[in-house]
Amino acid sequence: MTDELDQLREDYREIKAPQALATRIRAEVADRPRSHGWMPVAATAMVAIVVAWLLPMLWQQTAMERPQPIKPSLSALASLAPEKPRVKTPNLSQVQSPSAPRMPKKPQLKKDQPQTQYRFEDEVLKENDHAHS
């Protein structure tokens, strides 16, 4: 199979174009603008060089600009007077728990209503008041 493919490649390479077609192809190729394949590579290299040159400088500037935290001594902290709050706060003796509202009255059943009866297999079943039994 590979021998056949190699032979096919060789035959394809040996094909000669007609003379009229060859002049058209040459004219077409001559009219095309030349591509600058090195331009993207050169632009990428320049950007990489600029970034590599600028990053260390930026890191040094930000390290110099950072303020160093102040670490006061405990004696200096103890000498500071605490500030009084601007808002009045109630004492614990003035704080009271809220009172709960009263519960509603318990509903009363009406005694004069007749009990309903149900028939089930020729037996009379009375409705029970399950809530009050």
Side-chain angles (χ1 to χ4, degrees), residues 24-100:
R24 284 186 190 171
I25 293 172
R26 282 191 204 114
E28 205 48 53
V29 170
D31 289 343
R32 288 186 188 166
R34 291 189 177 185
S35 64
H36 302 286
W38 57 271
M39 289 289 277
V41 174
T44 305
M46 288 300 292
V47 168
I49 290 170
V50 169
V51 167
W53 181 65
L54 284 178
L55 279 180
M57 290 181 187
L58 291 174
W59 281 331
Q60 288 176 357
Q61 286 178 359
T62 55
M64 289 180 197
E65 293 173 358
R66 281 190 212 135
Q68 297 296 329
I70 300 171
K71 297 179 182 177
S73 64
L74 291 176
S75 60
L77 288 175
S79 67
L80 294 175
E83 293 183 20
K84 291 185 178 179
R86 296 180 185 170
V87 180
K88 274 189 161 183
T89 54
N91 294 336
L92 290 178
S93 62
Q94 294 174 345
V95 177
Q96 297 176 355
S97 62
S99 59

Side-chain angles (χ1 to χ4, degrees), residues 7-18 21-22 25:
Q7 184 62 36
L8 187 62
R9 280 188 204 140
E10 298 271 334
D11 293 343
Y12 182 74
R13 287 182 188 146
E14 292 175 2
I15 294 176
K16 303 273 184 192
L21 187 60
I25 293 172

Side-chain angles (χ1 to χ4, degrees), residues 109-122:
L109 292 176
K110 295 179 182 177
K111 296 289 182 182
D112 53 343
Q113 287 182 348
Q115 291 183 344
T116 56
Q117 294 183 354
Y118 297 105
R119 290 217 171 255
F120 184 72
E121 295 181 8
D122 297 332

